[in-house]
Amino acid sequence: MPMKNVRIVLVETSHGGNIGAVARAMKNMCLEDLALVNPRQFMTEECVARASGADDILHEAQVYRSLDEAVADCSLVVGASARLRSVAWPQLDPRACAGLVAQRAAGGRVALVFGRERTGLTNAELERCQYLVNIPSNPDYSSLNLGMAVQVLSYELMMQRQGRSPSRDSGAGDGVTAADMQGLFEHLEQALEDIGFLDPRKSAKLMRRLKRLFYRADPDMDEIKILRGILSAAQGRKSARRN
Ligand code: SAH
């Protein structure tokens, strides 16, 4: 598994010290691609101190204005969540997560997304993720420090890398990115509205279920094109092919 294909994404981190701790954990586990979405602080003294020599990771970190931009070129996006949400979203434990990431990183870029120290990831951000990963912990005290959470997940990746020869997954990683999936979802929502199936006031819940379905199906690029062709035809677009 090329570890350079694994991106750690931190969303709106409050404390520079935690970013430093993440950089250190990443370098320990041979990861190097750090993306920061609107960090509240970044290169503070504490950040550099806690990076403890992993300065190269900090210097090369990319700063983005939105999660969408940070994961746009990723073919798999996994969100780390301390709490199991009421919505049943595909869930992984850290080991299964490492297995999936290893498989998919062989053919494309993969993002592991971590939330804010106080409030984690929003529901909208979680919906940007194909899967959620939860680190099993005390149900009454489940929230790990951000750096520790990155450490656990990247350790499992390290174990995965040591335990197995690089795998190549035939179907996955054929270039479908998060942006392609978003394009499909937006088209689907519009088409469902156009044909009168979707009541815009109640669309959120249905769209969540449909996204879950399509993430599970893990379509390749040809399949996405077919689906979008069907949607265009349903919308009555001229560009749609007719028999
Ligand atoms: N209080 C927040 C947790 C913030 S901890 C909440 O309840 O959601 C900061 C981030 O570390 C989380 O957003 C998550 O990405 C990660 N994290 C912390 N504990 C975790 C756990 N048990 N499993 C998976 N990720 C965890």
Side-chain angles (χ1 to χ4, degrees), residues 181-194 207 224 227-233 235 237:
M181 292 299 278
Q182 287 313 311
L184 171 65
F185 296 148
E186 278 159 29
H187 194 170
L188 179 63
E189 188 165 11
Q190 188 58 54
L192 293 180
E193 242 180 81
D194 291 352
M207 284 309 299
I224 288 186
L227 287 167
R228 295 195 61 162
I230 294 170
L231 293 173
S232 294
Q235 287 172 304
R237 298 243 171 101

Side-chain angles (χ1 to χ4, degrees), residues 79-83 85 113-121 133-137 142-146 149 153:
S81 178
R83 286 168 297 155
R85 312 281 160 150
V113 183
F114 297 81
R116 301 155 187 82
E117 290 94 330
R118 278 173 56 82
T119 54
L121 294 165
V133 56
N134 176 256
I135 301 166
S137 49
S142 64
S143 171
L144 277 71
N145 165 267
L146 182 57
L153 296 188

Side-chain angles (χ1 to χ4, degrees), residues 16 19-24 32 34 36 42-44 47-52 54-63:
I19 299 179
V22 166
R24 180 180 188 170
E32 53 197 40
L34 175 61
L36 307 172
F42 180 20
M43 281 293 196
T44 57
C47 175
V48 177
R50 292 201 46 201
S52 194
D55 303 43
D56 48 338
I57 307 272
L58 295 178
H59 288 300
E60 280 159 37
Q62 299 288 320
V63 179

